[in-house]
Amino acid sequence: MHIMEGYLPVTHAVGWGIASGTILTYCVWSVGRSLRSRPQDKFLLAASSAYMFTLSALKLPSLTGSCSHPTGVGLGAVLFGWRPMVVSGFIVLLFQALLLAHGGLTTLGANLFAMGIAGAWVARGVYSLARTARLPFRVATFLAAALGDLATYVVTAAQLAWAFPDPAGGFVASFTKFLGVFAITQVPLAVAEGLLTVLVMNALMAYDRRELETLGVVPQGGTA
Amino acid sequence: MNKFWNALLVLAVIGLICVPLALHEKGDETQTFTGTDDQAQQAIKDVNPDYSRWAEPLWTPPSSEVASLLFAVQASLGTLVLGYVLGFYRGRATRDGRANERA
């Protein structure tokens, strides 16, 4: 779950806002440019953003006895890279901050950095590494979605630990505490998101292999 | 074969969500299924009791019923678009498949 409204000190809120705002501006420009050269991607991009929209609305119970929600960043990051996911992540977070009192406007920068930016970077990075290591496409998709999801909450814990270091143990003690809240809860949910993303990818491969081939995700005519 | 694996994936996802609920024991205060964001607020208070929240959400759903309505709207909008795109591709693949058969 995201950092609640007003729960980051002003300096941190502003700092994350500037960092994420800059990256978001670059991503909007970059996505706009690639969509002008490949307008046929709009359809599949809308589907991956919609997947993100759905998954972030589902608060799921976890083994720790608390609830959190998956991020849905992995699917789009595997298909289109990390940049479009920053833009979609911003829309999702803004919707939830304005209408659901979930997350917040003052913490939007930090939350976008955790979910849209770090989550998508990790998802894309894991996918590329897994493909370089010659792991099958579905395994790479699973790892990308699950680890991208988990990374979001590790970053959230780090952001809170940075803002609220433990008086005795400093950053490390505080980080461990916030990891206990966010990351441990997220492990089973991240596995669930990984499996669900493979399921959606299977459906896309069954009906829309051509599109995935032109994106370079699956080899032409192969059986990945 | 693919159908078998897809069914297995669906079962695994449902299992991952249901097992925590099945393990839930009544009266166990550590298992209340509250949100991790609420728990993080508590953790912030533990670490820094002097911190005061300096911004409130502009608008908060008046009750958890209204909040669940909005979450349901969000989830259904997402699945609507995802389903539309998948249906479009499926329809196109079927049509092209038939066209190829005729040719």
Side-chain angles (χ1 to χ4, degrees):
Chain A
M1 301 260 221
H2 312 298
I3 304 175
M4 302 280 278
E5 185 81 282
Y7 274 97
L8 272 185
V10 181
T11 45
H12 286 255
V14 172
W16 289 115
I18 293 171
S20 296
T22 313
I23 299 174
L24 175 68
T25 312
Y26 160 70
C27 290
V28 169
W29 171 81
S30 157
V31 171
R33 204 181 56 158
S34 38
L35 279 184
R36 271 193 297 279
S37 62
R38 283 181 55 91
Q40 69 271 32
D41 286 349
K42 273 182 195 156
F43 220 45
L44 200 52
L45 190 57
S48 358
S49 304
Y51 180 69
M52 201 168 169
F53 217 62
T54 299
L55 255 59
S56 344
L58 302 177
K59 296 185 179 179
L60 306 171
S62 169
L63 286 171
T64 52
S66 46
C67 277
S68 186
H69 60 80
T71 65
V73 171
L75 179 69
V78 166
L79 292 175
F80 296 104
W82 64 276
R83 292 175 192 86
M85 293 301 101
V86 178
V87 184
S88 313
F90 175 72
I91 298 168
V92 173
L93 288 169
L94 192 65
F95 179 91
Q96 294 198 324
L98 288 176
L99 292 180
L100 292 158
H102 184 64
L105 294 176
T106 60
T107 52
L108 192 59
N111 289 333
L112 180 61
F113 197 91
M115 184 170 96
I117 300 168
W121 270 343
V122 169
R124 186 60 185 192
V126 165
Y127 173 75
S128 301
L129 274 178
R131 290 303 273 170
T132 311
R134 297 184 172 279
L135 289 177
F137 176 61
R138 287 181 180 87
V139 176
T141 303
F142 168 78
L143 289 174
L147 293 175
D149 176 320
L150 199 58
T152 298
Y153 293 98
V154 173
V155 172
T156 303
Q159 287 170 326
L160 283 172
W162 190 15
F164 302 99
D166 191 88
F171 175 83
V172 177
S174 191
F175 186 44
T176 316
K177 192 180 174 81
F178 287 115
L179 275 181
V181 173
F182 286 108
I184 312 290
T185 298
Q186 204 64 29
V187 172
L189 305 187
V191 174
E193 172 171 353
L195 297 176
L196 202 61
T197 306
V198 173
L199 198 66
V200 174
M201 199 64 97
N202 277 344
L204 288 174
M205 291 216 283
Y207 303 131
D208 186 34
R209 217 192 146 86
R210 233 182 334 172
E211 211 86 1
L212 299 188
E213 283 170 1
T214 63
L215 281 170
V217 181
V218 291
Q220 306 269 342
T223 52
Chain B
M1 193 61 184
N2 219 355
K3 266 190 186 154
F4 169 77
W5 282 107
N6 285 344
L8 206 63
L9 282 173
V10 172
L11 285 178
V13 172
I14 295 175
L16 276 164
I17 307 310
C18 291
V19 165
L21 293 176
L23 293 175
H24 174 68
E25 284 169 39
K26 259 193 186 154
D28 182 351
E29 293 204 348
T30 57
Q31 290 203 327
T32 49
F33 293 109
T34 49
T36 51
D37 43 2
D38 292 334
Q39 295 182 0
Q41 282 181 28
Q42 192 52 51
I44 290 170
K45 281 196 191 99
D46 294 348
V47 175
N48 187 348
D50 301 329
Y51 185 79
S52 67
R53 186 180 190 179
W54 59 280
E56 298 281 335
L58 293 177
W59 183 76
T60 309
S63 72
S64 60
E65 275 74 16
V66 179
S68 68
L69 164 73
L70 288 163
F71 275 111
V73 168
Q74 187 189 337
S76 49
L77 282 177
T79 34
L80 178 78
V81 173
L82 188 63
Y84 179 85
V85 171
L86 278 174
F88 173 84
Y89 284 141
R90 182 181 179 159
R92 194 177 67 178
T94 316
R95 186 198 63 199
D96 292 357
R98 282 194 193 135
N100 290 344
E101 279 164 28
R102 269 191 233 114

